[in-house]
Amino acid sequence: MLIEWPIFAVECVLIGGLAGFVYGVFGSGAGLILVPGFYYILRQFPEVEAYQMQAAIGTAAMGAMLLGLSAAYMQWRSGYVKAVIVKIMLPGLVVGSLVAIGLLNIISSGGVKHLFSVLIIAVAFWFWSYDQQSDKTKWSLTSSYHHFLTFLQGLWWFLLGVPVFTVPYLCKCGIRLRLAIGCSTFLGLLLSSMGVVLLITTGIFQLRHVYIHGQLGFVNIYIVAFSLIPSAVMAAVGVKIGAKLPKVYLQKVYAILVFVVGVLMFF
């Protein structure tokens, strides 16, 4: 393995910085940048090619966990994290995430990549046209189907490496967008922390027959190290900007971002 360090460093800084900014503004969506970005960077590690998408998801989870520390704190301090919402959302998300991490050890890297694309493009179209004010069929966080829906969110969250459904779901349940963003940020920190431990463990088992320098299970330490600081700095910037943007702009820009990434990852 021969890493082109200057190119590698620049790519990590750019991707990490952009992901941090997106995470700060929207309270989620860092994975929309980190997963495809890290998937691209991992081309320099041919030994992990058979599990390239899994490694991208694992590395993105580590980045999201570290990034989430500052972003979640700032959202909490701003009053946009409500413990009652987090408590209601957490059980289904945890169970779904555990099932997804198990499936990542079975599904091929290419299959996960295309599934990623199709689902987030569908979410982009829905969220673009969704109007919370005129929605007469809001869901309920205390409904009988709530745990099933959060289970599906957790499943797709770690199967694709992106918590793209959480903010739209909370909005559909009548939660204000900024509050949905704050709670999603905090949930992202909790779920990413759990996922990192499991993805490192399962990755060590899957890659036990090959030594990959800088790879800890499905987490690439080099990528995390180079992207962490720019991610944290830009997350702080993003939180401040996101707090000032009108709600309608937040929703439309988020939908466009989701759509563009989905299209790029399909090919």
Side-chain angles (χ1 to χ4, degrees):
M1 177 188 69
L2 181 60
I3 300 176
E4 298 178 11
W5 287 106
I7 296 175
F8 178 82
V10 170
E11 290 174 345
C12 289
V13 168
L14 291 177
I15 291 169
L18 180 58
F21 181 76
V22 168
Y23 191 90
V25 172
F26 302 108
S28 67
L32 289 168
I33 307 299
L34 294 180
V35 172
F38 290 170
Y39 181 87
Y40 174 74
I41 293 175
L42 282 164
R43 75 193 186 285
Q44 296 202 44
F45 298 82
E47 300 91 341
V48 80
E49 183 178 3
Y51 293 96
Q52 190 169 341
M53 191 63 179
Q54 287 86 339
I57 291 172
T59 307
M62 174 68 87
M65 180 191 75
L66 298 174
L67 177 60
L69 292 171
S70 60
Y73 172 73
M74 295 185 71
Q75 293 285 358
W76 180 281
R77 190 176 62 178
S78 300
Y80 293 131
V81 178
K82 298 300 180 184
V84 63
I85 297 176
V86 172
K87 185 177 179 179
I88 291 172
M89 293 285 292
L90 202 55
L93 290 174
V94 168
V95 175
S97 300
L98 292 173
V99 173
I101 291 171
L103 291 174
L104 279 176
N105 292 276
I106 301 173
I107 303 175
S108 70
S109 176
V112 176
K113 177 174 176 284
H114 287 104
L115 189 60
F116 174 100
S117 304
V118 172
L119 285 178
I120 66 172
I121 288 173
V123 171
F125 278 112
W126 177 81
F127 202 50
W128 172 271
S129 59
Y130 179 67
D131 184 358
Q132 191 177 39
Q133 297 296 326
S134 62
D135 187 2
K136 305 299 182 183
T137 59
K138 287 186 172 65
W139 296 342
S140 172
L141 292 175
T142 58
S143 66
S144 57
Y145 52 78
H146 165 73
H147 288 306
F148 175 69
L149 293 177
T150 52
F151 164 81
L152 291 179
Q153 290 174 62
L155 181 70
W156 297 125
W157 186 330
F158 275 95
L159 199 56
L160 307 178
V162 180
V164 70
F165 300 99
T166 311
V167 171
Y169 175 75
L170 287 172
C171 288
K172 180 67 175 175
C173 290
I175 305 300
R176 293 181 295 111
L177 179 60
R178 295 194 189 281
L179 193 58
I181 289 173
C183 292
S184 177
T185 303
F186 194 78
L187 286 164
L189 172 60
L190 298 179
L191 269 293
S192 296
S193 301
M194 179 195 74
V196 164
V197 174
L198 295 175
L199 287 165
I200 287 176
T201 304
T202 57
I204 289 174
F205 175 78
Q206 291 287 358
L207 301 172
R208 65 190 183 279
H209 297 306
V210 57
Y211 174 73
I212 306 172
H213 202 253
Q215 194 77 23
L216 181 60
F218 286 141
V219 174
N220 188 290
I221 302 302
Y222 292 152
I223 294 177
V224 173
F226 276 95
S227 61
L228 178 58
I229 292 178
S231 292
V233 171
M234 293 307 295
V237 174
V239 168
K240 294 178 180 179
I241 292 177
K244 298 177 182 178
L245 288 176
K247 172 187 169 182
V248 63
Y249 292 155
L250 282 175
Q251 180 171 332
K252 298 300 185 184
V253 173
Y254 187 77
I256 292 171
L257 174 66
V258 172
F259 175 78
V260 170
V261 173
V263 171
L264 290 175
M265 277 299 285
F266 188 81
F267 300 101

